[in-house]
Amino acid sequence: MSKQTSHGVLYVAYGDPARRECTFSLISLADHMRDALVSVISNRPLFNDQPKPWPHVSTITMPDDVTDPGARRRKLASVTLSPFEATLYLDADTRIHGSLAPLFELLDHWPMILTYSVRQGEDVLGNCSPEDRGATFSALGTRDVLGLQCGVLGFRKNDPRVRRLFAAWSDEWEQFKDRDQAAFLRALHREPLPIHLLGRDWNGGAIIEHRYGHAARPRKAA
């Protein structure tokens, strides 16, 4: 899909677990938004010659980066790779249980939308490495931060503020090459922009279920 279109859903799927999870996520999306346009960033087409859940799925072919098993570089490049002006990025291990149309309506008015994390207070950024977490507290000047979850992320790719944020996010992530939430908070501190916070129904709740960790590649034995 080379021509940019207005609204669409974007996935990143590298490795067998992520590709499997993404297939099931697409099937669940088709149950509620069969006409949605979808692109998948991967190293090969998701379905090959097998029947698709619906015909509007395209592949953005990018090589697998063996130095980045979580494919976060590809995710952070989505602001340039996505063919959609209003892009709704979904982690591969999500399941859709309702229409996502309200999220695209929000993107008509907001440059970015996402949910808050379940990890707050003493557990904020608890899934990130101590070094990544410590750098974030130092950059923000406090441990009292609002954790944000980036597995469901809507953004307007042509908004200059969004592009600056993604550039800073990529730069911050390269410091530790860990999870992306701590790097996102540091990037947002550098390049602030208005964000609409969604309720938990939209990430890990009734509308978008999140099977955290199911898309991860198995860790290699030391």
Side-chain angles (χ1 to χ4, degrees):
M1 185 182 298
S2 60
K3 183 179 179 181
Q4 184 172 298
T5 52
S6 177
H7 296 74
V9 177
L10 184 70
Y11 293 89
V12 174
Y14 287 87
D16 290 340
R19 291 170 62 81
R20 180 185 64 247
E21 287 294 313
C22 189
T23 299
F24 285 112
S25 185
L26 282 164
I27 291 170
S28 70
L29 176 61
D31 287 340
H32 301 281
M33 297 187 73
R34 191 169 184 81
D35 293 330
L37 296 176
V38 179
S39 280
V40 181
I41 302 173
S42 189
N43 56 328
R44 63 187 191 277
L46 196 64
F47 299 104
N48 295 321
D49 295 328
Q50 300 300 313
K52 300 177 184 179
W54 74 106
H56 310 297
V57 182
S58 65
T59 303
I60 301 170
T61 305
M62 297 291 292
D64 195 355
D65 184 347
V66 296
T67 68
D68 176 26
R72 287 184 172 85
R73 284 196 185 96
R74 300 294 183 239
K75 175 179 176 179
L76 300 185
S78 62
V79 73
T80 55
L81 294 175
S82 174
F84 311 119
E85 156 57 9
T87 298
L88 180 61
Y89 165 84
L90 299 177
D91 273 358
D93 52 1
T94 51
R95 300 291 186 272
I96 312 306
H97 300 297
S99 173
L100 304 183
L103 300 185
F104 289 113
E105 292 173 5
L106 284 170
L107 285 173
D108 288 337
H109 306 283
W110 292 82
M112 182 170 282
I113 58 176
L114 48 67
T115 65
Y116 56 89
S117 173
V118 295
R119 295 177 180 269
Q120 303 293 344
E122 291 297 319
D123 192 35
V124 71
L125 303 178
N127 59 330
C128 299
S129 72
E131 296 80 11
D132 201 9
R133 192 164 59 248
T136 305
F137 296 150
S138 177
L140 273 61
T142 180
R143 298 178 63 90
D144 185 18
V145 302
L146 176 66
L148 300 174
Q149 219 287 337
C150 303
V152 174
L153 178 67
F155 58 89
R156 300 198 66 90
K157 64 166 288 178
N158 291 326
D159 188 312
R161 297 169 297 179
V162 172
R163 290 195 167 244
R164 289 195 296 268
L165 175 61
F166 266 85
W169 192 5
S170 179
D171 180 51
E172 292 291 346
W173 182 81
E174 290 289 347
Q175 290 189 50
F176 302 102
K177 301 178 177 62
D178 190 33
R179 308 277 182 159
D180 55 43
Q181 295 97 328
F184 180 84
L185 290 183
R186 296 196 302 274
L188 186 61
H189 183 68
R190 286 171 52 181
E191 298 290 347
L193 83 170
I195 293 177
H196 182 88
L197 279 183
L198 303 167
R200 292 299 308 170
D201 279 353
W202 297 102
N203 189 353
I207 302 175
I208 301 180
E209 174 190 355
H210 206 148
R211 292 160 46 86
Y212 297 107
H214 281 72
R217 305 192 216 201
R219 292 182 179 272
K220 294 183 179 180

